[in-house]
Amino acid sequence: MANLGLFTGTKVVKSVNVSFRLPYYTHWGQRLLVCGSEPVLGSWDVKKGLLLSPAHQGEELIWCGSVAVPSEFSCEYGYYVVDDEKSVLRREMGKKRKLVLPEGINGGENVELHDLWQTGGDAIPFRSAFKDVIFRQSWGLNIERPLGIQNKLDMEDAVLVHFKICCPNVEEETSVYVIGSTAKLGQWKVHDGLKLNYAGDSVWQADAVMQKGNFSLETGAHRDLSIDSSKVQPRYIFLSDGMMREMPWRGAGVAIPMFSVRSEADLGVGEFLDLKLLVDWAVESGFHLVQLLPINDTSVHGMWWDSYPYSSLSVFALHPLYLRVEALSENLPENIKKEIQEAREQLDGKDVDYEATLATKLSIAKKVFEQEKDLILNSRSFHKYFSENELEKLVSKDSLHYDIIRFHYYIQFHLHLQLSEAAEYARNKGVILKGDLPIGVDRNSVDTWVYPNLFRMNTSTGAPPDYFDKNGQNWGFPTYNWEEMSKDNYAWWRARLTQMAKYFTAYRIDHILGFFRIWELPEHAMTGLIGKFRPSIPLSKEELEREGIWDFDRLSLPYIRQEFVQVTEFSLLAVIWSILLMIINEKFGASWTFIVSNFLNDYQKGCYEFKEDSNTEKKIASKLKMLAEKSMLLESEDKICRDLFDLLKNIVLIRDPEDASKFYPRFNLEDTSSFQDLDDHSKNVLRRLYYDYYFHRQENLWRQNALKTLPALLNSSDMLACGEDLGLIPACVHPVMQELGLIGLRIQRMPSESDLEFGIPSQYSYMTVCAPSCHDCSTFRAWWEEDEERRCRYFKNLVGPDAIPSSQCVPDIAHFVIRQHVEAPSMWAIFPLQDLLALKEEYTTRPATEETINDPTNPKHYWRYRVHVTLESLLKDKELIATIKGLVRGSGRSHPSVQETDELGNQETIVLIPGKHQVTTGQEKISVGKQLNGVPREETCVPQVS
């Protein structure tokens, strides 16, 4: 570009020319742009950013551009993929890049930045799960000053190369070196290479002055850098080489709901302080992670229905169920201590008694509150907590209910203290605490009351029938008003994640598909079939008419007919009507006349429609309840309700209540008699439009929606994010998750591949969590024992055609299944505690079906499973611990350091960091990075030599 100089007063100052260079493949209509913090790069306004130009270099597409800046210039910047209007299609993940020009650089010089696109995966080592827990020792390294440039750039053919690379997992007393084919880089000899200095944030860097000429840093598949003296070259090259290429880090963990934990100290349910024991057991067993279900307050109905952990009363409040009342005070009166002990014995049941446990805890807590409320509520720590949560906005001190409200302040404060204590304990032990982010909130929650504009309260959400929702159950959650949420950059979501990050270093996004699209139902629906995706592109009236579809009332209203046809008119149509009549009579039998008179109108001969007071599911249910109270029903209320619902859902198209000219194909429309009674042309058209709506036309829209909403979550905290992506998955989901660095979920019995009945763990991708089961299905042991034919197919596919499986899930079977998963390429293998207990026969005496946490087909399932063995007992079971630890270590997965005692009684700390091959010669230690295939690369790290 032409350099006109930069003007300061009347003096012309020569600028420095900064060139950007990035290899990146784009699609037609896409361009690359760089935008940064300074005006010359748009001041973070992408529309004003610097567009780059593409050029092919060998097999790579290189995007380049340049800008003139002052010699003391510094800024932050990042790369964006944009369309012709400079609208953002994609942006880099991770931290913003920093540019600081070399000190003393002269005007007129050229500086070239060699960058690599940062993916979501590149940002993972910077998440708190790794930065603050797994790699915390590496991140605690002392920042070193650069060695400086010994030789000035006073030779025309000299080039200064600034090397920079991210190495998040560097062991103590180990240094990072660059080696290459030139003398400055040691000619492939490690000790003569260029030592890099630690610059903070896991970044290592160094400068080297080199002569122009053709050379490469590494050979074969290694990194390359060419400086060709035959062309005009920059005198300064900033080489940002992304992440250090090592064998990817892999870890393991245990999953258990908080309420399911059992300890000797708890009061009928797992408590936050029990997590310290669970962390101890995890460390002993070789686990780097403990995963929980949601822990928010769900006390909406005041009964056991509130045991459902995914319907929160408040997304910010913690559940009082997990409070340890014994820890509320160091000065508990003897009568309260006695009451606690008696309650502990009474509530020590096989399952959680939700109502009795919560009532007991709150009753005891109120007594302690009356004793210590002034002391606690006037303390400095409470005032700090109070101010951080802005509680004064919720209720005035002059309110009549202020003292009741203060009790809940008191409870939440202690829950915060106890969970914070457990979370800090986990971090110090090298264990990630992983939380769960529910996709929905209860429609009567604090959040829908305080922020009504953020929710669509006239609708509720569910999911079309898939793995977990075979009956189309209605979840009952209000849908989100994403347009309204975007106005403040999703502040509500960002606040949720900020709150979670106080306790967790990783989290699971429940039903991540909800950030692409949600299955939305009308407010009057009680089941999940008559819904539509939001957002989605509907079928327009004009589109349908072009296809020869015009009778919209026939297709969108319940199709209920009873027609008598003379014998002489024997035809296919007559047969259809006869079958329909048989179906109606089979459904209602002697009740048919009663059903017609109470629920239907005969609007023309043989054709029926629902009465105004019965034309929705909620109206039908309400009317049936009234008739049942008057003893007017000839059959069971539930059966008649289901049958009437079936008639109500006997439609092909759903008319949009907001726009009568828009329609949505009913889920599984081919199952309806309304569809079966259509002519062949209409069937073919509607069948084609159905598959287009559900599997094709929405993909780009859903992708764009996710790329707006999900980054807001990911950028709200530095927690590691995982997404539950089971079920009916649109094609756009996995590419977006990969782009954003979101870790998916793989359950072996629910493979994402349509041609497989069982997943193959050895073929899972790295960016996944693998597990044999989860809380939304039966345990592996129950699954194994309930279906002989399926069990045989599994064994034939995974073990061999000649193997005969045991009918019982004996420990050897559990060992085989767990070993499959720990040896998978997945970043994480996380096991429900129940599946791990199956490794030892004494823990399998409880019927396997009793260990299921949730039955997704039952909307009123009681979430009450408790582990039948205490954490204290598990910590004493060295045999089980040794079995699990052996599986984790044998798989090459990382595990926390533990103190072990040798035969002489001496203690030593055992640390294993997979992915690095240790070579020791005398006092010298060299770390050799390995590729996925296990073949060592050139040495890249050596110790500091005194």
mmCIF file of all heavy atoms in Angstrom, residues 304-340:
data_model
loop_
_atom_site.group_PDB
_atom_site.id
_atom_site.type_symbol
_atom_site.label_atom_id
_atom_site.label_comp_id
_atom_site.label_asym_id
_atom_site.label_seq_id
_atom_site.Cartn_x
_atom_site.Cartn_y
_atom_site.Cartn_z
ATOM 1 N N TRP A 304 -43.354 -32.814 46.556
ATOM 2 C CA TRP A 304 -42.295 -33.618 45.949
ATOM 3 C C TRP A 304 -42.130 -33.368 44.454
ATOM 4 O O TRP A 304 -41.098 -33.724 43.884
ATOM 5 C CB TRP A 304 -42.516 -35.108 46.222
ATOM 6 C CG TRP A 304 -43.741 -35.704 45.568
ATOM 7 C CD1 TRP A 304 -44.955 -35.894 46.141
ATOM 8 C CD2 TRP A 304 -43.845 -36.201 44.233
ATOM 9 N NE1 TRP A 304 -45.834 -36.463 45.252
ATOM 10 C CE2 TRP A 304 -45.170 -36.679 44.056
ATOM 11 C CE3 TRP A 304 -42.968 -36.299 43.158
ATOM 12 C CZ2 TRP A 304 -45.629 -37.222 42.870
ATOM 13 C CZ3 TRP A 304 -43.435 -36.843 41.960
ATOM 14 C CH2 TRP A 304 -44.740 -37.308 41.826
ATOM 15 N N TRP A 305 -43.140 -32.741 43.809
ATOM 16 C CA TRP A 305 -42.953 -32.370 42.398
ATOM 17 C C TRP A 305 -41.701 -31.506 42.226
ATOM 18 O O TRP A 305 -41.069 -31.512 41.175
ATOM 19 C CB TRP A 305 -44.162 -31.588 41.890
ATOM 20 C CG TRP A 305 -45.387 -32.425 41.663
ATOM 21 C CD1 TRP A 305 -45.529 -33.767 41.897
ATOM 22 C CD2 TRP A 305 -46.647 -31.965 41.170
ATOM 23 N NE1 TRP A 305 -46.798 -34.166 41.581
ATOM 24 C CE2 TRP A 305 -47.513 -33.083 41.131
ATOM 25 C CE3 TRP A 305 -47.129 -30.736 40.772
ATOM 26 C CZ2 TRP A 305 -48.833 -32.997 40.701
ATOM 27 C CZ3 TRP A 305 -48.445 -30.642 40.337
ATOM 28 C CH2 TRP A 305 -49.291 -31.758 40.291
ATOM 29 N N ASP A 306 -41.369 -30.772 43.276
ATOM 30 C CA ASP A 306 -40.212 -29.879 43.217
ATOM 31 C C ASP A 306 -38.879 -30.625 43.187
ATOM 32 O O ASP A 306 -37.820 -29.996 43.080
ATOM 33 C CB ASP A 306 -40.219 -28.925 44.412
ATOM 34 C CG ASP A 306 -41.443 -28.016 44.417
ATOM 35 O OD1 ASP A 306 -41.997 -27.783 43.335
ATOM 36 O OD2 ASP A 306 -41.834 -27.560 45.509
ATOM 37 N N SER A 307 -38.930 -31.953 43.276
ATOM 38 C CA SER A 307 -37.684 -32.726 43.191
ATOM 39 C C SER A 307 -37.083 -32.673 41.799
ATOM 40 O O SER A 307 -35.912 -33.008 41.613
ATOM 41 C CB SER A 307 -37.939 -34.189 43.580
ATOM 42 O OG SER A 307 -38.766 -34.842 42.620
ATOM 43 N N TYR A 308 -37.873 -32.238 40.805
ATOM 44 C CA TYR A 308 -37.372 -32.106 39.429
ATOM 45 C C TYR A 308 -36.346 -30.976 39.388
ATOM 46 O O TYR A 308 -36.695 -29.805 39.566
ATOM 47 C CB TYR A 308 -38.547 -31.806 38.504
ATOM 48 C CG TYR A 308 -38.206 -31.600 37.052
ATOM 49 C CD1 TYR A 308 -37.298 -32.426 36.395
ATOM 50 C CD2 TYR A 308 -38.816 -30.582 36.316
ATOM 51 C CE1 TYR A 308 -37.006 -32.246 35.057
ATOM 52 C CE2 TYR A 308 -38.530 -30.400 34.970
ATOM 53 C CZ TYR A 308 -37.628 -31.229 34.347
ATOM 54 O OH TYR A 308 -37.327 -31.049 33.019
ATOM 55 N N PRO A 309 -35.062 -31.271 39.168
ATOM 56 C CA PRO A 309 -34.023 -30.245 39.325
ATOM 57 C C PRO A 309 -33.889 -29.284 38.152
ATOM 58 O O PRO A 309 -33.098 -28.346 38.233
ATOM 59 C CB PRO A 309 -32.743 -31.076 39.486
ATOM 60 C CG PRO A 309 -33.016 -32.331 38.731
ATOM 61 C CD PRO A 309 -34.485 -32.599 38.884
ATOM 62 N N TYR A 310 -34.647 -29.503 37.068
ATOM 63 C CA TYR A 310 -34.486 -28.659 35.883
ATOM 64 C C TYR A 310 -35.563 -27.581 35.771
ATOM 65 O O TYR A 310 -35.669 -26.916 34.757
ATOM 66 C CB TYR A 310 -34.485 -29.533 34.622
ATOM 67 C CG TYR A 310 -33.191 -30.287 34.464
ATOM 68 C CD1 TYR A 310 -33.036 -31.553 34.998
ATOM 69 C CD2 TYR A 310 -32.105 -29.711 33.821
ATOM 70 C CE1 TYR A 310 -31.841 -32.241 34.891
ATOM 71 C CE2 TYR A 310 -30.902 -30.379 33.701
ATOM 72 C CZ TYR A 310 -30.773 -31.641 34.239
ATOM 73 O OH TYR A 310 -29.574 -32.312 34.134
ATOM 74 N N SER A 311 -36.381 -27.404 36.811
ATOM 75 C CA SER A 311 -37.416 -26.375 36.794
ATOM 76 C C SER A 311 -37.206 -25.462 37.995
ATOM 77 O O SER A 311 -37.820 -25.622 39.046
ATOM 78 C CB SER A 311 -38.807 -27.022 36.846
ATOM 79 O OG SER A 311 -39.821 -26.058 36.727
ATOM 80 N N SER A 312 -36.353 -24.474 37.817
ATOM 81 C CA SER A 312 -35.907 -23.679 38.959
ATOM 82 C C SER A 312 -36.892 -22.579 39.329
ATOM 83 O O SER A 312 -37.531 -21.964 38.487
ATOM 84 C CB SER A 312 -34.539 -23.058 38.651
ATOM 85 O OG SER A 312 -34.607 -22.259 37.499
ATOM 86 N N LEU A 313 -36.987 -22.344 40.630
ATOM 87 C CA LEU A 313 -37.717 -21.192 41.148
ATOM 88 C C LEU A 313 -36.939 -19.918 40.881
ATOM 89 O O LEU A 313 -37.500 -18.858 40.631
ATOM 90 C CB LEU A 313 -37.949 -21.375 42.646
ATOM 91 C CG LEU A 313 -38.568 -20.213 43.416
ATOM 92 C CD1 LEU A 313 -40.008 -20.017 42.984
ATOM 93 C CD2 LEU A 313 -38.497 -20.463 44.910
ATOM 94 N N SER A 314 -35.613 -20.040 40.922
ATOM 95 C CA SER A 314 -34.714 -18.934 40.612
ATOM 96 C C SER A 314 -33.426 -19.514 40.070
ATOM 97 O O SER A 314 -32.890 -20.473 40.638
ATOM 98 C CB SER A 314 -34.414 -18.102 41.863
ATOM 99 O OG SER A 314 -33.302 -17.247 41.640
ATOM 100 N N VAL A 315 -32.925 -18.941 38.998
ATOM 101 C CA VAL A 315 -31.675 -19.439 38.421
ATOM 102 C C VAL A 315 -30.464 -18.944 39.206
ATOM 103 O O VAL A 315 -29.334 -19.344 38.914
ATOM 104 C CB VAL A 315 -31.544 -19.027 36.939
ATOM 105 C CG1 VAL A 315 -32.661 -19.615 36.121
ATOM 106 C CG2 VAL A 315 -31.491 -17.508 36.784
ATOM 107 N N PHE A 316 -30.694 -18.088 40.201
ATOM 108 C CA PHE A 316 -29.598 -17.551 40.996
ATOM 109 C C PHE A 316 -29.571 -18.116 42.420
ATOM 110 O O PHE A 316 -28.531 -18.092 43.072
ATOM 111 C CB PHE A 316 -29.670 -16.025 41.051
ATOM 112 C CG PHE A 316 -29.594 -15.371 39.709
ATOM 113 C CD1 PHE A 316 -30.737 -14.922 39.068
ATOM 114 C CD2 PHE A 316 -28.378 -15.223 39.055
ATOM 115 C CE1 PHE A 316 -30.674 -14.331 37.810
ATOM 116 C CE2 PHE A 316 -28.310 -14.638 37.798
ATOM 117 C CZ PHE A 316 -29.452 -14.187 37.178
ATOM 118 N N ALA A 317 -30.706 -18.610 42.909
ATOM 119 C CA ALA A 317 -30.774 -19.106 44.286
ATOM 120 C C ALA A 317 -30.361 -20.573 44.350
ATOM 121 O O ALA A 317 -30.692 -21.373 43.477
ATOM 122 C CB ALA A 317 -32.195 -18.947 44.827
ATOM 123 N N LEU A 318 -29.641 -20.931 45.421
ATOM 124 C CA LEU A 318 -29.241 -22.319 45.660
ATOM 125 C C LEU A 318 -30.342 -23.039 46.443
ATOM 126 O O LEU A 318 -31.138 -22.412 47.155
ATOM 127 C CB LEU A 318 -27.922 -22.349 46.446
ATOM 128 C CG LEU A 318 -26.733 -21.692 45.742
ATOM 129 C CD1 LEU A 318 -25.544 -21.584 46.693
ATOM 130 C CD2 LEU A 318 -26.350 -22.463 44.490
ATOM 131 N N HIS A 319 -30.375 -24.366 46.332
ATOM 132 C CA HIS A 319 -31.462 -25.129 46.938
ATOM 133 C C HIS A 319 -31.204 -25.367 48.429
ATOM 134 O O HIS A 319 -30.170 -25.921 48.798
ATOM 135 C CB HIS A 319 -31.627 -26.474 46.241
ATOM 136 C CG HIS A 319 -33.016 -27.010 46.343
ATOM 137 N ND1 HIS A 319 -33.679 -27.170 47.543
ATOM 138 C CD2 HIS A 319 -33.897 -27.419 45.384
ATOM 139 C CE1 HIS A 319 -34.884 -27.640 47.327
ATOM 140 N NE2 HIS A 319 -35.047 -27.804 46.032
ATOM 141 N N PRO A 320 -32.140 -24.959 49.299
ATOM 142 C CA PRO A 320 -31.975 -25.183 50.747
ATOM 143 C C PRO A 320 -31.846 -26.661 51.107
ATOM 144 O O PRO A 320 -31.366 -26.989 52.196
ATOM 145 C CB PRO A 320 -33.257 -24.586 51.346
ATOM 146 C CG PRO A 320 -33.759 -23.629 50.318
ATOM 147 C CD PRO A 320 -33.367 -24.195 48.992
ATOM 148 N N LEU A 321 -32.273 -27.542 50.210
ATOM 149 C CA LEU A 321 -32.182 -28.984 50.474
ATOM 150 C C LEU A 321 -30.745 -29.403 50.764
ATOM 151 O O LEU A 321 -30.507 -30.347 51.515
ATOM 152 C CB LEU A 321 -32.701 -29.742 49.248
ATOM 153 C CG LEU A 321 -32.966 -31.240 49.398
ATOM 154 C CD1 LEU A 321 -34.157 -31.483 50.328
ATOM 155 C CD2 LEU A 321 -33.239 -31.871 48.036
ATOM 156 N N TYR A 322 -29.771 -28.689 50.175
ATOM 157 C CA TYR A 322 -28.379 -29.111 50.279
ATOM 158 C C TYR A 322 -27.616 -28.412 51.403
ATOM 159 O O TYR A 322 -26.393 -28.489 51.479
ATOM 160 C CB TYR A 322 -27.676 -28.864 48.934
ATOM 161 C CG TYR A 322 -28.409 -29.507 47.785
ATOM 162 C CD1 TYR A 322 -28.726 -28.781 46.632
ATOM 163 C CD2 TYR A 322 -28.823 -30.837 47.850
ATOM 164 C CE1 TYR A 322 -29.421 -29.367 45.586
ATOM 165 C CE2 TYR A 322 -29.510 -31.432 46.804
ATOM 166 C CZ TYR A 322 -29.805 -30.691 45.673
ATOM 167 O OH TYR A 322 -30.496 -31.284 44.642
ATOM 168 N N LEU A 323 -28.348 -27.744 52.276
ATOM 169 C CA LEU A 323 -27.749 -27.048 53.403
ATOM 170 C C LEU A 323 -27.378 -28.031 54.514
ATOM 171 O O LEU A 323 -28.160 -28.929 54.840
ATOM 172 C CB LEU A 323 -28.735 -26.008 53.955
ATOM 173 C CG LEU A 323 -28.289 -25.185 55.152
ATOM 174 C CD1 LEU A 323 -27.239 -24.173 54.739
ATOM 175 C CD2 LEU A 323 -29.501 -24.483 55.784
ATOM 176 N N ARG A 324 -26.217 -27.889 55.100
ATOM 177 C CA ARG A 324 -25.863 -28.647 56.298
ATOM 178 C C ARG A 324 -26.187 -27.782 57.503
ATOM 179 O O ARG A 324 -25.454 -26.825 57.821
ATOM 180 C CB ARG A 324 -24.393 -29.043 56.286
ATOM 181 C CG ARG A 324 -23.960 -29.776 57.571
ATOM 182 C CD ARG A 324 -22.748 -30.631 57.370
ATOM 183 N NE ARG A 324 -23.022 -31.716 56.441
ATOM 184 C CZ ARG A 324 -22.091 -32.530 55.944
ATOM 185 N NH1 ARG A 324 -20.827 -32.360 56.285
ATOM 186 N NH2 ARG A 324 -22.421 -33.485 55.104
ATOM 187 N N VAL A 325 -27.284 -28.090 58.175
ATOM 188 C CA VAL A 325 -27.747 -27.244 59.285
ATOM 189 C C VAL A 325 -26.776 -27.303 60.454
ATOM 190 O O VAL A 325 -26.668 -26.354 61.239
ATOM 191 C CB VAL A 325 -29.170 -27.653 59.721
ATOM 192 C CG1 VAL A 325 -30.169 -27.334 58.633
ATOM 193 C CG2 VAL A 325 -29.237 -29.138 60.081
ATOM 194 N N GLU A 326 -26.067 -28.409 60.586
ATOM 195 C CA GLU A 326 -25.118 -28.556 61.674
ATOM 196 C C GLU A 326 -23.964 -27.565 61.572
ATOM 197 O O GLU A 326 -23.314 -27.237 62.571
ATOM 198 C CB GLU A 326 -24.565 -29.985 61.676
ATOM 199 C CG GLU A 326 -24.107 -30.484 63.027
ATOM 200 C CD GLU A 326 -23.914 -31.987 63.033
ATOM 201 O OE1 GLU A 326 -23.794 -32.573 61.932
ATOM 202 O OE2 GLU A 326 -23.871 -32.568 64.119
ATOM 203 N N ALA A 327 -23.712 -27.061 60.347
ATOM 204 C CA ALA A 327 -22.606 -26.128 60.132
ATOM 205 C C ALA A 327 -23.049 -24.666 60.188
ATOM 206 O O ALA A 327 -22.248 -23.771 59.933
ATOM 207 C CB ALA A 327 -21.960 -26.404 58.770
ATOM 208 N N LEU A 328 -24.310 -24.412 60.551
ATOM 209 C CA LEU A 328 -24.789 -23.034 60.613
ATOM 210 C C LEU A 328 -24.147 -22.254 61.746
ATOM 211 O O LEU A 328 -24.014 -21.038 61.663
ATOM 212 C CB LEU A 328 -26.318 -23.015 60.777
ATOM 213 C CG LEU A 328 -27.139 -23.466 59.564
ATOM 214 C CD1 LEU A 328 -28.621 -23.490 59.909
ATOM 215 C CD2 LEU A 328 -26.879 -22.564 58.367
ATOM 216 N N SER A 329 -23.759 -22.962 62.793
ATOM 217 C CA SER A 329 -23.195 -22.260 63.956
ATOM 218 C C SER A 329 -22.228 -23.182 64.692
ATOM 219 O O SER A 329 -22.416 -24.407 64.722
ATOM 220 C CB SER A 329 -24.315 -21.819 64.905
ATOM 221 O OG SER A 329 -23.777 -21.302 66.102
ATOM 222 N N GLU A 330 -21.219 -22.569 65.291
ATOM 223 C CA GLU A 330 -20.300 -23.331 66.138
ATOM 224 C C GLU A 330 -20.847 -23.468 67.556
ATOM 225 O O GLU A 330 -20.260 -24.177 68.376
ATOM 226 C CB GLU A 330 -18.939 -22.640 66.179
ATOM 227 C CG GLU A 330 -18.237 -22.580 64.827
ATOM 228 C CD GLU A 330 -16.910 -21.866 64.902
ATOM 229 O OE1 GLU A 330 -16.626 -21.276 65.985
ATOM 230 O OE2 GLU A 330 -16.153 -21.897 63.919
ATOM 231 N N ASN A 331 -21.953 -22.783 67.839
ATOM 232 C CA ASN A 331 -22.499 -22.775 69.207
ATOM 233 C C ASN A 331 -23.941 -23.257 69.221
ATOM 234 O O ASN A 331 -24.839 -22.603 69.750
ATOM 235 C CB ASN A 331 -22.417 -21.354 69.794
ATOM 236 C CG ASN A 331 -21.004 -20.817 69.818
ATOM 237 O OD1 ASN A 331 -20.100 -21.450 70.366
ATOM 238 N ND2 ASN A 331 -20.795 -19.658 69.211
ATOM 239 N N LEU A 332 -24.184 -24.407 68.604
ATOM 240 C CA LEU A 332 -25.535 -24.951 68.599
ATOM 241 C C LEU A 332 -25.940 -25.414 69.999
ATOM 242 O O LEU A 332 -25.158 -26.108 70.677
ATOM 243 C CB LEU A 332 -25.631 -26.139 67.643
ATOM 244 C CG LEU A 332 -25.544 -25.854 66.146
ATOM 245 C CD1 LEU A 332 -25.592 -27.154 65.364
ATOM 246 C CD2 LEU A 332 -26.664 -24.934 65.695
ATOM 247 N N PRO A 333 -27.134 -25.063 70.438
ATOM 248 C CA PRO A 333 -27.614 -25.564 71.734
ATOM 249 C C PRO A 333 -27.748 -27.083 71.707
ATOM 250 O O PRO A 333 -27.938 -27.683 70.640
ATOM 251 C CB PRO A 333 -28.982 -24.889 71.880
ATOM 252 C CG PRO A 333 -28.951 -23.736 70.943
ATOM 253 C CD PRO A 333 -28.077 -24.132 69.808
ATOM 254 N N GLU A 334 -27.675 -27.709 72.857
ATOM 255 C CA GLU A 334 -27.739 -29.159 72.944
ATOM 256 C C GLU A 334 -29.064 -29.695 72.408
ATOM 257 O O GLU A 334 -29.112 -30.769 71.809
ATOM 258 C CB GLU A 334 -27.537 -29.612 74.395
ATOM 259 C CG GLU A 334 -26.110 -29.444 74.899
ATOM 260 C CD GLU A 334 -25.111 -30.228 74.047
ATOM 261 O OE1 GLU A 334 -25.426 -31.388 73.682
ATOM 262 O OE2 GLU A 334 -24.030 -29.685 73.755
ATOM 263 N N ASN A 335 -30.168 -28.962 72.638
ATOM 264 C CA ASN A 335 -31.459 -29.461 72.164
ATOM 265 C C ASN A 335 -31.531 -29.495 70.641
ATOM 266 O O ASN A 335 -32.140 -30.397 70.056
ATOM 267 C CB ASN A 335 -32.595 -28.603 72.734
ATOM 268 C CG ASN A 335 -32.537 -27.158 72.261
ATOM 269 O OD1 ASN A 335 -31.458 -26.567 72.203
ATOM 270 N ND2 ASN A 335 -33.683 -26.589 71.923
ATOM 271 N N ILE A 336 -30.860 -28.544 69.967
ATOM 272 C CA ILE A 336 -30.841 -28.547 68.506
ATOM 273 C C ILE A 336 -29.922 -29.661 67.996
ATOM 274 O O ILE A 336 -30.225 -30.335 67.019
ATOM 275 C CB ILE A 336 -30.408 -27.175 67.970
ATOM 276 C CG1 ILE A 336 -31.494 -26.134 68.268
ATOM 277 C CG2 ILE A 336 -30.137 -27.252 66.466
ATOM 278 C CD1 ILE A 336 -31.201 -24.758 67.730
ATOM 279 N N LYS A 337 -28.794 -29.869 68.676
ATOM 280 C CA LYS A 337 -27.921 -30.980 68.295
ATOM 281 C C LYS A 337 -28.662 -32.309 68.388
ATOM 282 O O LYS A 337 -28.534 -33.179 67.505
ATOM 283 C CB LYS A 337 -26.690 -31.016 69.201
ATOM 284 C CG LYS A 337 -25.705 -29.885 68.986
ATOM 285 C CD LYS A 337 -24.504 -30.039 69.918
ATOM 286 C CE LYS A 337 -23.500 -28.910 69.717
ATOM 287 N NZ LYS A 337 -22.340 -29.048 70.653
ATOM 288 N N LYS A 338 -29.452 -32.466 69.453
ATOM 289 C CA LYS A 338 -30.216 -33.701 69.635
ATOM 290 C C LYS A 338 -31.265 -33.836 68.532
ATOM 291 O O LYS A 338 -31.475 -34.929 67.992
ATOM 292 C CB LYS A 338 -30.885 -33.689 71.010
ATOM 293 C CG LYS A 338 -31.668 -34.956 71.303
ATOM 294 C CD LYS A 338 -32.295 -34.896 72.697
ATOM 295 C CE LYS A 338 -33.093 -36.177 72.969
ATOM 296 N NZ LYS A 338 -33.744 -36.133 74.316
ATOM 297 N N GLU A 339 -31.915 -32.729 68.195
ATOM 298 C CA GLU A 339 -32.927 -32.753 67.129
ATOM 299 C C GLU A 339 -32.311 -33.145 65.784
ATOM 300 O O GLU A 339 -32.905 -33.903 65.015
ATOM 301 C CB GLU A 339 -33.595 -31.379 67.026
ATOM 302 C CG GLU A 339 -34.715 -31.331 65.994
ATOM 303 C CD GLU A 339 -35.389 -29.975 65.929
ATOM 304 O OE1 GLU A 339 -35.030 -29.079 66.731
ATOM 305 O OE2 GLU A 339 -36.283 -29.800 65.062
ATOM 306 N N ILE A 340 -31.106 -32.630 65.523
ATOM 307 C CA ILE A 340 -30.416 -32.975 64.280
ATOM 308 C C ILE A 340 -30.090 -34.464 64.243
ATOM 309 O O ILE A 340 -30.288 -35.136 63.219
ATOM 310 C CB ILE A 340 -29.135 -32.133 64.130
ATOM 311 C CG1 ILE A 340 -29.490 -30.663 63.892
ATOM 312 C CG2 ILE A 340 -28.271 -32.655 62.973
ATOM 313 C CD1 ILE A 340 -28.295 -29.728 63.901
#
